[in-house]
Amino acid sequence: MNGNQLKTMLPDGYLGQDIPKLGFGLMRLPKIDDATERDAPTDAARVQQMVDEFLDAGFTYFDTARAYGDSEATIKKTLVDKYPRSSYQLATKNAAWIGAKTAEEAKAFLQTSLDTTGAEYFDFYMLHNIGAARTKIFDDFGMWDFLNDAKRQGIAKHIGISFHDQAPVLDRVLTEHPEVEFVQLQVNYVDWNAAYVQSGACFETAHKHGKPVIIMEPVKGGLLANPPKDVAKVFEDADPDASLASWALRFVADLPGVVTILSGMSNIEQMRDNIKTFKGLKPLSESDSAVIERAQEVFNSKDLIGCTGCHYCDKECPKNLVIPGIFNAVNQYRMFGNFKSAKGNYDFEGRGIKAAECIGCGQCERSCPQGLPIISLLKDASALFDVDDEKKEEPEK
Ligand code: SF4
Ligand code: SF4
């Protein structure tokens, strides 16, 4: 089933129904001098321009997290300190699985988020990246009761989860925790039927439990704005004037029972294109859906690594491997076939730390929301790139 064939399963007046459907995801904010280091400081001046234009255009939802570098601090300067608190919704998340050794430390993350953003309360507060072995950490630390307490105290107006695992796991979590009011899910046209991400099945599971969905990764970490040439051609043949990102956004905008759709915008041009898409939103026609189905088929033939560049994995790596940078270079090679350019990217984005340095400790795999077999994928990357350039300038594809 495709997204636009779903019927509304939530009652009229569901939580978040009136929130404008483009949300500002604050995970990939622009860095000063466009630095690519994950901890490089955010360019607050450029973010300010984006926040101002976003609000001016009538959109109101902002999604940050403690795990997004200096995103919470940046949103304090650019949003919270400048606009009335009632004029926007702010969401953040508690990633107990990053850096908390005790329940007290994990619970203290909420106060840190309140202090860092200055927001007084969060409209939407989530346990971050529920799924795989991470769920047990939230269970062991008593984070579900903590979430309920935060709601009772009015610090969290609505409580929920962001989720990365398969549909039966979501079904179990929502059965055990009916207090969850909404679910944030990765949904896009490539992952709708994907074996691991299961966007479509997860979406239907959330609705089965009566939970509205906040959509994340609609453009799959930017990949669907710059897909392989033959995928792009499918869209360009259908409508040469529409941006490639607009197709991805229209696919998810057709879904019912959605609170908002988070686009992780990194510059003002992306924001303007996204705003244009949502201001003149056109429902998908039957022929539009057929175009997307064709693009899905071409995309699925590429064998790309489903990395979204979230960087959760390399926070844990004892060898400081820049895992998403390495995977991006592999995907670049698989998409465009230019070894020299992909190898240049491998050296640049990987900061010169080779995939071969991986010691197989497995820390990264425990954090990966996409469930990627990182160790084995790094071996493939090493076989492709960790070669003597003189001997192997242009390997076979
Ligand atoms: S398995 Fe390799 S890449 Fe993953 S954390 Fe360990 S050393 Fe780093
Ligand atoms: S490998 Fe997984 S955890 Fe690492 S950046 Fe990619 S999606 Fe995120």
Side-chain angles (χ1 to χ4, degrees), residues 306-314 323-324 327 367-370 372 374:
C307 171
T308 59
C310 67
H311 282 286
Y312 297 151
C313 52
D314 50 22
I323 298 163
F327 289 168
S367 311
C368 180
Q370 310 302 322
L372 294 174
I374 295 175

Side-chain angles (χ1 to χ4, degrees), residues 3 6 20 22 28 72 81 137 141 152 159 185 202 261 287 315 325 364 395:
L6 285 178
L22 175 62
R28 298 182 177 89
E72 286 187 340
D81 288 350
I137 297 171
F141 286 170
R152 267 194 294 276
I159 54 174
L185 288 174
C202 287
I261 296 159
S287 67
K315 286 188 176 72
C364 52

Side-chain angles (χ1 to χ4, degrees), residues 245-272:
S246 73
W247 282 97
L249 291 171
R250 286 177 62 216
F251 174 80
V252 292
D254 248 25
L255 292 166
V258 166
V259 177
T260 197
I261 296 159
L262 301 173
S263 178
M265 296 170 271
S266 299
N267 57 53
I268 195 73
E269 290 74 26
Q270 286 171 6
M271 174 166 278
R272 287 174 182 158

Side-chain angles (χ1 to χ4, degrees), residues 7-12 14 206-213 256-258:
K7 299 274 176 287
T8 302
M9 295 186 221
L10 300 184
D12 204 32
Y14 70 83
H207 273 211
K208 185 184 90 178
H209 285 266
K211 313 298 178 189
V213 171
V258 166

